[in-house]
Amino acid sequence: MFRLESCAETSMKTLFITGATGGLGRLCVQALSASGRWTVFAAGRNPGKLEALGRLPRVVPVKMDILAEASVREAREFVRERAGSLDAIAHMAGASSFVSLVEGKGLAELSALMELNLIGAARINQAFFDLLARDGSDGVLPGRSAGRIIHCSSEAGWMKTQPFAGPYYASKHALEAYNDSLRRELMFLGIPVIVLRPGSFDTELTRSVQDDFSRVEAGTALYRDVLSRMKPLMLWELTRRNDPERFVRVFMRALEAPRPRISYKVGTGP
């Protein structure tokens, strides 16, 4: 299941990142590898993309299903055996959708996105937390940890919710609430919890929303006229070309700043 590769350079910092095979996640892994400052445990589900990441210097691929408790536990044990501890956890795994809340599969999408975008992050944080908070000897040192947690939310996490994007907005609003509560809890242990709020980037996620729109438009009995009028605006929003390198720079700043901000927006409004 895993490529067994030791973390030989113990002076480096060590990161566990989910969603490593996605568009922005993959770019972050590549930047971390190129920096020479991090050993990266890059987690994802796509074997081919994981194999490609594993060819990068200081990147250890981890095949993991964030939705499966057993898979998460197995990944945690692998990281513990290879690294012993972590300096950071970054959450890049996530998905979006375009769906009606009253017609079609809205309830199923709401459940699925809550499980992936919210519960998945919480599952990882709980499973890996002892690796992040340990002092390298025999326990947690309240107020003295150097580790940090980064959640990738979205502009949907703080903006007013939009029609046909209810499951996505609900999951990101929930992630922001979870992030803030965890941040206020872990500040007593000296562990920063940071949220990133990217706007629209050209990734697999935005392309999947376009596919969802086409399916909803073809199958709706209630919103055909509404969707026809919405379509130009939605396509304009989804095809905006924010430079993904902007996101990578902000991600690196959140990861490495001695005093990171609570939140970072990139490619979105003020």
Side-chain angles (χ1 to χ4, degrees):
M1 182 175 183
F2 302 109
R3 174 185 170 191
L4 298 178
E5 178 178 310
S6 64
C7 302
E9 298 182 61
T10 56
S11 61
M12 286 189 186
K13 290 190 174 183
T14 305
L15 167 74
F16 181 81
I17 180 170
T18 69
T21 58
L24 294 178
R26 185 169 63 251
L27 290 176
C28 290
V29 172
Q30 292 168 350
L32 289 161
S33 173
S35 76
R37 299 186 295 272
W38 291 85
T39 294
V40 183
F41 288 90
R45 294 188 297 180
N46 186 304
K49 292 181 178 181
L50 285 173
E51 183 179 356
L53 288 176
R55 291 193 286 269
L56 296 174
R58 296 167 294 277
V59 174
V60 184
V62 182
K63 189 173 186 298
M64 183 194 72
D65 183 353
I66 196 173
L67 303 178
E69 292 276 1
S71 181
V72 170
R73 288 196 300 270
E74 187 177 353
R76 183 259 178 207
E77 284 306 301
F78 174 74
V79 173
R80 183 188 64 79
E81 291 171 1
R82 308 308 296 178
S85 63
L86 290 168
D87 294 288
I89 299 170
H91 297 273
M92 295 297 297
S96 184
S97 70
F98 186 94
V99 65
S100 166
L101 290 173
V102 295
E103 184 182 45
K105 58 177 183 177
L107 183 59
E109 284 293 299
L110 179 61
S111 177
L113 291 191
M114 282 292 190
E115 180 66 25
L116 177 59
N117 293 347
L118 172 64
I119 303 302
R123 180 178 292 116
I124 293 295
N125 287 335
Q126 183 163 329
F128 284 76
F129 182 72
D130 64 328
L131 303 185
L132 185 72
R134 296 185 70 85
D135 67 349
S137 57
D138 60 357
V140 174
L141 294 178
R144 293 177 56 188
S145 175
R148 65 188 60 182
I149 296 172
I150 298 174
H151 295 115
C152 185
S153 179
S154 165
E155 62 186 0
W158 63 271
M159 293 175 65
K160 291 184 181 297
T161 56
Q162 301 299 316
F164 305 102
Y168 182 63
Y169 274 76
S171 68
K172 290 301 185 178
H173 273 68
L175 177 63
E176 296 258 353
Y178 168 81
N179 177 90
D180 285 351
S181 183
L182 186 67
R183 176 175 58 81
R184 289 181 169 92
E185 179 179 334
L186 296 191
M187 68 182 183
F188 298 111
L189 303 180
I191 298 175
V193 179
I194 305 147
V195 64
L196 307 181
R197 294 166 175 160
S200 180
F201 290 84
D202 183 19
T203 65
E204 291 93 337
L205 184 147
T206 55
R207 289 190 288 273
S208 73
V209 173
Q210 294 182 50
D211 293 340
D212 285 347
F213 182 97
S214 297
R215 282 191 289 270
V216 172
E217 185 181 30
T220 184
L222 300 174
Y223 301 113
R224 193 172 303 279
D225 183 61
V226 171
L227 293 176
S228 177
R229 287 184 280 118
M230 282 181 60
K231 190 170 186 176
L233 180 61
M234 190 212 72
L235 291 177
W236 174 84
E237 172 67 21
L238 291 177
T239 55
R240 284 190 300 156
R241 292 294 190 267
N242 281 309
D243 180 1
E245 292 301 323
R246 289 180 59 198
F247 179 85
V248 173
R249 289 193 294 271
V250 170
F251 174 86
M252 295 295 291
R253 193 179 312 143
L255 185 63
E256 297 186 327
R259 295 180 179 274
R261 289 162 48 182
I262 292 172
S263 64
Y264 295 83
K265 293 179 181 178
V266 54
T268 184

